[in-house]
Amino acid sequence: MKTYEELSKFNAKNPVVTIGTFDGVHLGHRIVIDRLKAYAKKYGGETVIFTFYPHPRLVTKPDETNLRLLTTLEEKKQLFASLGIDHLIVYPFTKEFSELTYTEFVKTILVDKIKTHCLVVGYDHKFGKDRQGGFEYLKECALKYNFEIEKLEPLLLNDIHISSTKIREALQKGDVKTANKYLGYEFTLHGTVVEGKRLGRQIGFPTANIESSDIHKLIPGYGVYAVKIFSEGIEHTGMLNIGTRPTFNQNADNRSIEVNIFDFEKDIYKKEVTLTFVDKIREEKKFPGVEALVEQLKKDKISALKILSANPNF
C-alpha cells in the first residue's frame, strides 16, 4: 500500500475512490472496502481511500475536549494495508480545507489531482462545507466531469448496522467482547510504561503503568480486563485495571491503566507496549484492606488465564 500526505506524487490506474474517517476500520467499513475492491476489479482500476488528519472535529471545533477515537492514524494505516488497499491518501484537514464547497472539492481534489475514475459513496454520505454534497449533487458532478459513481446502500452484518458509535458505547461500558465482535479484531491500545507508585510490587502483583500514545484514543470503562501485552515483539498475557488515581496523567479522562504481566520480571520502564483487550473480568471496586485485595487478585488471575486460554487467537 502506498501512502500519501500530499497529492503531487499521487498516481494510480483508474482510481476507484471512497472517502471517510474510517474510525475503527470495523466490520462495517470492511464491507465498504470489499465493495471498493470489487468496483476496482470491474473498472480495471486501483483502490484509493481518502481520509483526513487530524480528525475534522479538532479543526471545525477547536475547543473539542470529548473526542475519543477507536484507532490512531498509525493503527488505521496498518489495518488498511492488511486489507489490501492499493493507495491511502491522508489529507491534511485544515480550516481552509473545511471551507471548500463540495463542488470545489470534487473539481480540485477528486478530478484535477486524483483523476478519479469511479467514486464510491455511502447512501447517506455528505461532505464539503456544511455537508452540502449529497449523492444527487455528486451524480451531477459525475456527469459533468465524466467519472463513474457507485452508491452503497445501508450495509448490515447479520442484520446489525455496525457503527463506530456503537463500538465506542460498548467500550465505554467495558463491553470489550461486543466491541471486538464488531471491530473484527481485539481492541488495541499503544502506550509507554511510566513511573507508578510501585504498590503492586509490595503485595506480589507488580504492575506496569501505561500512558496512551494518543490523548484522543478511547480508553475502555473502569474495570479489570484479561489482556495480551506485546513488548519488544514478544506476546505476554496479563490482567489490567482501569481506574482513577489522584495524580494527573495524559490518558483520556485521566484514567490510570495498570497491567500485571503474568510470569514476567523484566524492567520495561519507558518502553513502548501494545495492549489488546480480550474480555472484562469484573468491575473496579474498593476493598476493606490489603488482604482482601490480594485474595481478589488471585481470583482475577485465574479468571484471566481461563479467558485467555479460550481465546488464543481472536
Side-chain angles (χ1 to χ4, degrees):
M1 183 181 78
K2 296 181 179 178
T3 302
Y4 311 82
E5 294 181 1
E6 50 89 21
L7 295 174
S8 62
K9 296 181 180 179
F10 177 81
N11 182 46
K13 178 185 177 184
N14 293 340
V16 178
V17 183
T18 194
I19 305 163
T21 55
F22 288 91
D23 187 28
V25 194
H26 51 66
L27 291 183
H29 292 143
R30 294 183 188 209
I31 297 173
V32 174
I33 289 170
D34 286 344
R35 298 279 185 89
L36 187 73
K37 291 161 76 172
Y39 288 130
K41 185 175 181 180
K42 173 182 176 181
Y43 292 112
E46 296 175 347
T47 53
V48 182
I49 288 183
F50 188 103
T51 191
F52 315 96
Y53 187 82
H55 191 283
R57 276 173 55 189
L58 294 175
V59 175
T60 59
K61 299 179 180 179
D63 296 327
E64 176 71 67
T65 59
N66 296 319
L67 180 66
R68 298 291 177 260
L69 300 176
L70 299 172
T71 40
T72 65
L73 178 59
E74 288 306 312
E75 289 167 349
K76 281 200 280 191
K77 287 179 180 179
Q78 292 172 13
L79 288 164
F80 285 138
S82 72
L83 294 171
I85 292 299
D86 298 316
H87 304 272
L88 173 64
I89 298 169
V90 183
Y91 202 81
F93 197 93
T94 62
K95 183 67 174 175
E96 292 74 23
F97 180 77
S98 72
E99 294 295 326
L100 287 181
T101 65
Y102 78 92
T103 51
E104 291 170 331
F105 175 79
V106 170
K107 179 65 171 67
T108 60
I109 304 295
L110 294 183
V111 176
D112 293 345
K113 293 185 178 180
I114 298 178
K115 304 187 186 310
T116 299
H117 182 82
C118 175
L119 179 64
V120 180
V121 296
Y123 71 100
D124 60 350
H125 185 80
K126 293 185 179 182
F127 63 92
K129 185 179 180 181
D130 299 325
R131 294 176 58 82
Q132 297 169 335
F135 183 72
E136 294 304 317
Y137 294 106
L138 290 171
K139 279 204 305 185
E140 295 175 7
C141 290
L143 287 171
K144 181 177 180 180
Y145 297 115
N146 194 32
F147 61 83
E148 302 292 332
I149 186 165
E150 300 281 1
K151 179 182 179 182
L152 300 177
E153 296 304 322
L155 300 170
L156 303 177
L157 186 74
N158 298 327
D159 295 324
I160 298 172
H161 180 261
I162 295 174
S163 69
S164 300
T165 298
K166 286 183 180 178
I167 297 170
R168 290 190 201 101
E169 289 172 349
L171 287 169
Q172 287 164 344
K173 292 187 292 187
D175 186 2
V176 296
K177 200 165 187 177
T178 295
N180 291 346
K181 178 182 175 182
Y182 291 169
L183 285 168
Y185 58 90
E186 290 165 346
F187 180 72
T188 300
L189 180 68
H190 298 277
T192 303
V193 178
V194 297
E195 188 69 40
K197 294 183 177 180
R198 300 182 181 271
L199 298 177
R201 190 172 300 278
Q202 297 175 24
I203 61 173
F205 286 90
T207 60
N209 290 264
I210 312 299
E211 185 174 281
S212 175
S213 61
D214 189 328
I215 195 170
H216 296 295
K217 176 80 175 188
L218 187 148
I219 307 299
Y222 296 163
V224 179
Y225 298 86
V227 296
K228 299 172 189 173
I229 306 98
F230 297 83
S231 174
E232 299 180 321
I234 300 174
E235 178 182 326
H236 307 276
T237 56
M239 57 185 182
L240 175 145
N241 183 77
I242 297 176
T244 58
R245 61 184 179 188
T247 54
F248 175 78
N249 62 42
Q250 293 299 311
N251 293 323
D253 302 324
N254 294 331
R255 302 181 183 200
S256 70
I257 305 168
E258 301 174 276
V259 59
N260 171 238
I261 308 174
F262 300 151
D263 304 316
F264 185 83
E265 296 181 358
K266 189 175 180 181
D267 183 5
I268 54 173
Y269 177 55
K270 294 186 178 180
K271 300 286 187 181
E272 292 185 0
V273 295
T274 299
L275 306 170
T276 62
F277 290 72
V278 179
D279 202 355
K280 187 173 184 177
I281 299 172
R282 62 172 173 85
E283 297 293 337
E284 181 187 38
K285 67 178 184 179
K286 185 176 181 179
F287 294 90
V290 174
E291 289 185 4
L293 171 60
V294 171
E295 287 305 308
Q296 182 62 57
L297 291 174
K298 290 177 181 177
K299 294 176 183 177
D300 293 341
K301 182 174 181 178
I302 293 171
S303 297
L305 288 170
K306 184 177 180 180
I307 290 168
L308 292 162
S309 65
N311 295 270
N313 294 295
F314 184 77

